[in-house]
Amino acid sequence: MLNKIIPQNKNITIILGHYGSGKSEVISNLILNSKKEKRILYDLDIINPYFRTNSLIKKFEENNIIYISGTVEGLNMDLPSIPNIKNDNEADIYIDLAGDSAGVKVLKGYKENLFPKDNCNFYMVINVNRPETKDEASIEEQINKIENELTEKITGIISNTHLLDLTSGEDIIKGFNIIKKISEKRKIPIIYVTYPQKYVQEEELILIKDECKLYPLDLNLRATWMNN
């Protein structure tokens, strides 16, 4: 049985995940739910121009979250630059980083002393309903590529298996069971198992509730026209 993992007390959390993993949705929930008075979100995702946290700028402002990006406000367009990152020990800092080996290269543009190993979480968001992370072999392949490019180890996994508005409790459990094997094999803790609370009830996840920390997600990035 896995122990319920409590995220380590580090103020820099780097969230990465392959296209379609739901990474940006996860990070929006994490920072909006953070209890820290000062919160900063850096958007360094240069791979996917569609589902971006920049669509939540007004929501972040309303919640006193500082949002810094290389995008033009209101547009899914990147500037030929990356934002300046400053470590702030008084703040919860979240970094939205594209999760394949190409996307994580952007982190190398910053000085190493901004990301001290003892103060950084590297959390990988995994959706087993994506072809690139559909089984143990493909997930391990992605982890190896990312770690080799980062020259850092993934320190936690967020199981985020979903099928958008068709997500069921069975999907969540299926994803957890696959990711659990990776977690045990590579000794990478599962930080959260997420579920979209609009479509799945916690009671449906009773089979895994004792093994992991469940995290209900609000669907902040889903445009109105994409919802039922």
Side-chain angles (χ1 to χ4, degrees):
M1 179 180 293
L2 294 175
N3 293 322
K4 291 185 178 180
I5 301 297
I6 299 175
Q8 295 175 323
N9 187 24
K10 300 178 180 181
N11 80 300
I12 301 174
T13 299
I14 299 172
I15 303 289
L16 44 87
H18 208 282
Y19 173 75
S21 66
K23 166 183 58 67
S24 295
E25 194 75 87
V26 168
I27 201 171
S28 74
N29 276 262
L30 291 176
I31 195 164
L32 284 165
N33 291 329
S34 169
K35 303 303 182 185
K36 203 76 175 276
E37 182 176 350
K38 187 173 185 180
R39 294 165 289 172
I40 305 172
L41 173 57
Y42 291 97
D43 181 2
L44 301 185
D45 185 349
I46 61 171
I47 299 298
N48 177 17
Y50 298 107
F51 294 96
R52 298 288 294 271
T53 47
N54 71 335
S55 65
L56 297 174
I57 289 176
K58 290 184 179 179
K59 189 177 184 71
F60 291 145
E61 289 177 348
E62 291 168 357
N63 287 272
N64 298 315
I65 294 169
I66 300 169
Y67 178 80
I68 300 173
S69 173
T71 59
V72 179
E73 183 175 352
L75 298 175
N76 293 320
M77 178 186 301
D78 285 299
L79 298 174
S81 63
I82 52 178
N84 182 31
I85 292 180
K86 296 180 180 179
N87 192 10
D88 184 340
N89 291 324
E90 300 302 315
D92 260 356
I93 297 176
Y94 288 86
I95 298 175
D96 188 350
L97 187 67
D100 60 14
S101 56
V104 300
K105 288 181 180 180
V106 68
L107 206 59
K108 292 185 175 181
Y110 297 92
K111 294 181 180 179
E112 292 181 4
N113 60 7
L114 290 180
F115 304 104
K117 291 182 179 180
D118 61 351
N119 199 32
C120 251
N121 299 309
F122 288 90
Y123 292 164
M124 182 174 178
V125 179
I126 299 175
N127 175 8
V128 304
N129 285 328
R130 297 298 300 173
E132 299 85 356
T133 50
K134 66 182 184 297
D135 53 28
E136 293 175 62
S138 57
I139 293 171
E140 284 213 85
E141 181 181 359
Q142 291 298 324
I143 291 175
N144 289 335
K145 287 180 178 179
I146 290 168
E147 289 186 339
N148 288 339
E149 189 62 51
L150 274 178
T151 63
E152 297 284 354
K153 294 292 185 182
I154 301 298
T155 60
I157 294 173
I158 298 177
S159 177
N160 189 52
T161 297
H162 66 86
L163 285 169
L164 299 176
D165 56 331
L166 299 178
T167 306
S168 69
E170 291 180 356
D171 294 313
I172 309 295
I173 295 169
K174 165 194 165 187
F176 169 74
N177 286 333
I178 293 173
I179 291 169
K180 176 182 176 180
K181 295 176 182 177
I182 299 293
S183 171
E184 292 173 339
K185 179 179 180 181
R186 301 186 70 119
K187 306 205 179 325
I188 305 174
I190 297 176
I191 306 300
Y192 298 121
V193 175
T194 67
Y195 64 96
Q197 57 183 343
K198 182 176 181 180
Y199 304 117
V200 177
Q201 302 300 311
E202 185 172 316
E203 291 74 21
E204 298 177 59
L205 307 176
I206 191 70
L207 293 177
I208 62 174
K209 188 175 181 180
D210 290 337
E211 294 194 72
C212 60
K213 185 174 180 61
L214 299 175
Y215 193 103
L217 290 181
D218 291 321
L219 302 182
N220 299 310
L221 292 173
R222 296 267 298 174
T224 303
W225 63 269
M226 294 184 69
N227 288 325
N228 291 334

